[in-house]
Amino acid sequence: DGGITQSPKYLFRKEGQNVTLSCEQNLNHDAMYWYRQDPGQGLRLIYYSQIVNDFQKGDIAEGYSVSREKKESFPLTVTSAQKNPTAFYLCASSITESTDTQYFGPGTRLTVL
Amino acid sequence: EDKVVQSPLSLVVHEGDTVTLNCSYEVTNFRSLLWYKQEKKAPTFLFMLTSSGIEKKSGRLSSILDKKELSSILNITATQTGDSAIYLCAVEALTNFGNEKLTFGTGTRLTIIP
């Protein structure tokens, strides 16, 4: 099956811990994105990557880090510096960064206890 | 599995025309339906609909939810070239764990010809 997957679906973290969310795609897309969605709000861009070994900060990058060592994978680490990490995290990919159509994964719900 | 279907997949109209975009869904524990406009990197939030039959309006854009028919429409009147974008519909649902999850449709690509 072609698509974009995220794991885990639900994640619980204690305050002060770092946690990494996985995002994998087998669509051969160059560009990948991480968004955060909070109840009643729109999506906000955290980081995006146009190509392997390159990534750029989005609107709310503070407290997050990413890597793009492989084309298929774009993991997001939520660090202890992120003040309000409880949210729904969505990963997306597109053929190139200039292409409008983004395909979204199923999301990961992170809850900080 | 939750499903969100948008139609048409693409639409080309002339400036000044009125368009109607459709979104239908099959989800368990529906919470809300959201419309986004996607032009560049991040989709822009347009509307959030939770109650059936109540129209939300913002300028030339309006949207309404029909919970009985499990669908929503997005209307754009007097279209302008700046309305050209992909319009995404997403449905927020409550999971068995009591959390929310968001399922996106594939979008409708709208092109406005001057």
Side-chain angles (χ1 to χ4, degrees), chain A residues 3-93:
Chain A
I4 179 165
T5 57
Q6 291 183 239
S7 62
K9 281 187 181 177
Y10 309 98
L11 193 54
F12 297 88
R13 185 195 97 175
K14 290 183 183 176
E15 267 192 59
Q17 285 181 337
N18 290 358
V19 65
T20 298
L21 282 58
S22 163
C23 178
E24 305 275 333
Q25 53 97 1
N26 60 5
L27 300 166
N28 202 32
H29 287 174
D30 281 327
M32 296 186 75
Y33 313 80
W34 273 106
Y35 296 94
R36 171 184 170 136
Q37 203 240 356
D38 294 281
Q41 296 188 33
L43 295 177
R44 290 183 290 167
L45 183 65
I46 305 172
Y47 266 98
Y48 66 99
S49 167
Q50 299 177 45
I51 202 162
V52 175
N53 292 324
D54 177 73
F55 48 83
Q56 309 291 332
K57 290 183 181 179
D59 301 317
I60 54 164
E62 188 176 344
Y64 299 98
S65 67
V66 292
S67 63
R68 186 86 188 277
E69 294 174 7
K70 296 188 298 182
K71 188 175 186 177
E72 309 81 49
S73 179
F74 191 40
L76 173 76
T77 297
V78 184
T79 74
S80 55
Q82 168 50 235
K83 290 183 173 52
N84 186 20
T86 294
F88 187 69
Y89 290 87
L90 276 164
C91 178
S93 69

Side-chain angles (χ1 to χ4, degrees), chain B residues 42-105:
Chain B
T44 306
F45 175 72
L46 295 174
F47 298 111
M48 181 184 206
L49 304 157
T50 52
S51 301
S52 202
I54 297 175
E55 186 182 50
K56 291 237 173 154
K57 205 167 163 58
S58 175
R60 296 176 293 104
L61 275 68
S62 64
S63 184
I64 196 160
L65 177 66
D66 186 337
K67 280 186 175 178
K68 193 174 170 188
E69 295 296 326
L70 306 181
S71 65
S72 173
I73 59 170
L74 175 70
N75 276 326
I76 308 175
T77 59
T79 51
Q80 302 169 359
T81 53
D83 294 328
S84 294
I86 292 173
Y87 289 84
L88 290 167
C89 172
V91 173
E92 199 171 26
L94 206 59
T95 70
N96 291 336
F97 294 95
N99 303 119
E100 288 138 12
K101 71 168 186 176
L102 204 60
T103 304
F104 279 84

Side-chain angles (χ1 to χ4, degrees), chain A residues 31 33 50 94-101, chain B residues 39-40:
Chain A
Y33 313 80
Q50 299 177 45
S94 63
I95 296 173
T96 68
E97 193 265 340
S98 60
T99 302
D100 289 340
T101 306
Chain B
E39 290 174 280
K40 298 202 184 290

